[in-house]
Amino acid sequence: DTAVSQTPKYLVTQMGNDKSIKCEQNLGHDTMYWYKQDSKKFLKIMFSYNNKELIINETVPNRFSPKSPDKAHLNLHINSLELGDSAVYFCASSQDITAGNTIYFGEGSWLTVV
Amino acid sequence: TQLLEQSPQFLSIQEGENLTVYCNSSSVFSSLQWYRQEPGEGPVLLVTVVTGGEVKKLKRLTFQFGDARKDSSLHITAAQPGDTGLYLCAGETFSGYALNFGKGTSLLVTP
């Protein structure tokens, strides 16, 4: 069973469209994250939720809106997609926000905006 | 702001060689982790170091956390093609709840 699963794995869409990426974890973790990995492989935190509450919101355009309906899910909705949004988006989870916790990553969602 | 600098950015070596990857910062970290990412997959944790000066070994991989908790190194002995991948260091500061990743070292080990 996949611990952190995200869908879709590949997404090609036109500029201006709105799209969502879904994420689910079956590890019973309290904390979930969205990371963005750019073409140079730089992995940067976007959002973090702990027990469905937003605790980290990095400098991300407000076109990006995370939603956590419950502890096991953290979805990412992106409005008015731009070319620069093309990247790999990784969902992840950890037991809680305690330092040193292992972060478990999903396999990534490859977003290409054309 | 890039908290963690990794070097080298790219490394191509032959099977059996040794290598060291460095992760440096001016910030102090409460913990530092090393991840490996293979193409088409998410990063997978290799090790977490918490104590300054700590050394951990994972088979042919040796990880060291600097005494001041600002830097770390990963040494691979007798590299094998299966070691090929992107190695990422990630540090957690005392004031944050999320990992700050370095830009990674892309390692290629050829037979």
Side-chain angles (χ1 to χ4, degrees):
Chain A
D1 286 344
T2 304
V4 180
S5 58
Q6 50 184 112
T7 57
K9 179 150 186 165
Y10 300 101
L11 183 57
V12 181
T13 188
Q14 289 188 323
M15 283 175 54
N17 283 349
D18 303 338
K19 291 294 178 185
S20 292
I21 307 172
K22 295 185 177 181
C23 178
E24 176 182 5
Q25 54 95 4
N26 62 5
L27 298 168
H29 287 168
D30 287 344
T31 308
M32 294 186 73
Y33 311 84
W34 276 107
Y35 280 85
K36 178 181 179 181
Q37 189 171 44
D38 61 24
S39 58
K40 297 184 178 180
K41 305 296 185 185
F42 180 41
L43 198 60
K44 187 174 169 61
I45 182 75
M46 298 174 68
F47 302 102
S48 175
Y49 272 71
N50 188 57
N51 282 318
K52 300 193 302 175
E53 290 191 17
L54 180 67
I55 57 170
I56 292 176
N57 183 353
E58 290 295 308
T59 307
V60 176
N62 57 15
R63 298 181 294 104
F64 291 78
S65 53
K67 282 188 172 51
S68 183
D70 54 60
K71 278 193 339 179
H73 295 85
L74 180 61
N75 304 321
L76 183 65
H77 188 75
I78 315 170
N79 289 329
S80 303
L81 278 156
E82 301 177 358
L83 294 176
D85 297 332
S86 296
V88 185
Y89 292 85
F90 285 97
C91 178
S93 73
S94 63
Q95 183 64 55
D96 51 43
I97 58 175
T98 304
N101 267 323
T102 300
I103 293 187
Y104 296 84
F105 285 86
E107 292 188 336
S109 294
W110 269 251
L111 172 65
T112 302
V113 183
V114 296
Chain B
T1 303
Q2 179 61 38
L3 284 181
L4 285 159
E5 297 291 340
Q6 281 188 245
S7 60
Q9 190 176 355
F10 300 99
L11 192 53
S12 180
I13 61 172
Q14 290 197 316
E15 183 175 4
E17 292 184 28
N18 302 331
L19 67 116
T20 302
V21 175
Y22 299 94
C23 177
N24 295 298
S25 177
S26 57
S27 300
V28 177
F29 295 101
S30 59
S31 67
L32 195 138
Q33 298 179 331
W34 284 91
Y35 287 78
R36 188 173 88 187
Q37 183 179 12
E38 298 189 19
E41 298 182 9
V44 175
L45 180 70
L46 295 173
V47 78
T48 300
V49 286
V50 180
T51 306
E54 184 176 3
V55 176
K56 282 192 174 179
K57 291 193 174 184
L58 185 65
K59 296 183 180 178
R60 293 175 294 100
L61 277 60
T62 302
F63 305 85
Q64 183 160 11
F65 200 13
D67 290 341
R69 301 163 84 167
K70 293 182 179 181
D71 54 83
S72 181
S73 63
L74 157 60
H75 183 79
I76 302 179
T77 304
Q80 298 178 0
D83 296 327
T84 293
L86 179 69
Y87 289 82
L88 297 159
C89 68
E92 195 163 31
T93 63
F94 289 96
S95 59
Y97 294 123
L99 288 177
N100 298 283
F101 280 84
K103 290 191 175 183
T105 294
S106 186
L107 172 64
L108 173 65
V109 183
T110 54

